[in-house]
Amino acid sequence: MAFSLTPLPYSDTALAPVISAETLSFHHGKHHQAYVTKTNDAIEGTDHADKSLEEVIAAARGSNQGLFNNSAQSWNHGFYWHSMAEESSSPSAELTAMINEAFGSVDDLKSKLAERGAGHFASGWVWLAEKDGKLSIEETHDGDTLADSDFNPLLTIDVWEHAYYLDHQNARPAYLDGVINKKLNWAFASENLARGTTWKYPS
């Protein structure tokens, strides 16, 4: 099956001024679309053609770097769009309790996400993830993903430069501050925790 570009779950102005409509037009409409197109081109007519995106990622890991990069980046971006919302919500009671246990408080978690995101060298992703009933902050470099890992990702933040350069130039901390304090979709994170299994890319 051919994969489609995940629609944005909000209008293209919903994340402004943290992330502008112009940034979304490039990041979603061009970068994400290119990853999806290249994934579809690579699997057409192969044994991967009828697999889910998560299965494609797992099959390509360690054996086909080009397919892995494009399929993993397709998944990461789909998950990233859902990790944000026009209006930031509050974590569920279950998630709040786990955050308090792991990090001290929601505010402490936000500070740690900002610190890890700012300190991440070069391109990659910063994740809030759950494993064996415990929360942690994970980092993946370049196009790597948690989609086929032992972790259940709850939220992610893209720290590739193209995610923020048009709006914040090289000031990654300003982008992180805006996303973390104003746009994180805690309802999505709570749903991912309650479901207990990794989010699936829409087919």
Side-chain angles (χ1 to χ4, degrees), residues 24-45:
L24 287 177
S25 72
F26 284 99
H27 196 179
H28 176 257
K30 297 188 184 299
H31 285 283
H32 190 186
Q33 179 65 72
Y35 294 129
V36 173
T37 298
K38 290 177 181 178
T39 298
N40 286 332
D41 289 346
I43 66 174
E44 185 177 2

Side-chain angles (χ1 to χ4, degrees), residues 48-70:
H48 300 312
D50 293 323
K51 292 178 179 177
S52 68
L53 187 58
E54 294 79 17
E55 291 170 331
V56 171
I57 292 167
R61 183 183 287 276
S63 63
N64 185 332
Q65 193 63 42
L67 177 57
F68 176 79
N69 287 341
N70 285 297

Side-chain angles (χ1 to χ4, degrees), residues 58-91:
R61 183 183 287 276
S63 63
N64 185 332
Q65 193 63 42
L67 177 57
F68 176 79
N69 287 341
N70 285 297
S71 58
Q73 284 288 74
S74 296
W75 194 96
N76 285 356
H77 281 85
F79 191 81
Y80 170 61
W81 308 131
H82 286 83
S83 293
M84 297 179 290
E86 182 169 10
E87 298 292 338
S88 186
S89 51
S90 297

Side-chain angles (χ1 to χ4, degrees), residues 86-166:
E86 182 169 10
E87 298 292 338
S88 186
S89 51
S90 297
S92 65
E94 179 186 15
L95 180 54
T96 298
M98 292 178 70
I99 289 171
N100 291 343
E101 179 181 358
F103 302 102
S105 69
V106 174
D107 285 342
D108 287 336
L109 168 59
K110 290 178 178 180
S111 295
K112 289 179 172 63
L113 284 170
E115 179 183 347
R116 294 285 291 272
H120 184 95
F121 182 73
S123 301
W125 302 81
V126 176
W127 309 78
L128 176 64
E130 177 271 331
K131 182 179 179 181
D132 298 329
K134 302 290 184 181
L135 298 184
S136 62
I137 296 173
E138 302 297 322
E139 297 178 43
T140 59
H141 290 278
D142 300 324
D144 203 358
T145 186
L146 296 186
D148 61 331
S149 73
D150 292 335
F151 290 96
N152 176 17
L154 306 183
L155 290 171
T156 196
I157 303 170
D158 189 344
V159 293
W160 283 65
E161 197 171 64
H162 62 238
Y164 57 86
Y165 197 84
L166 288 177

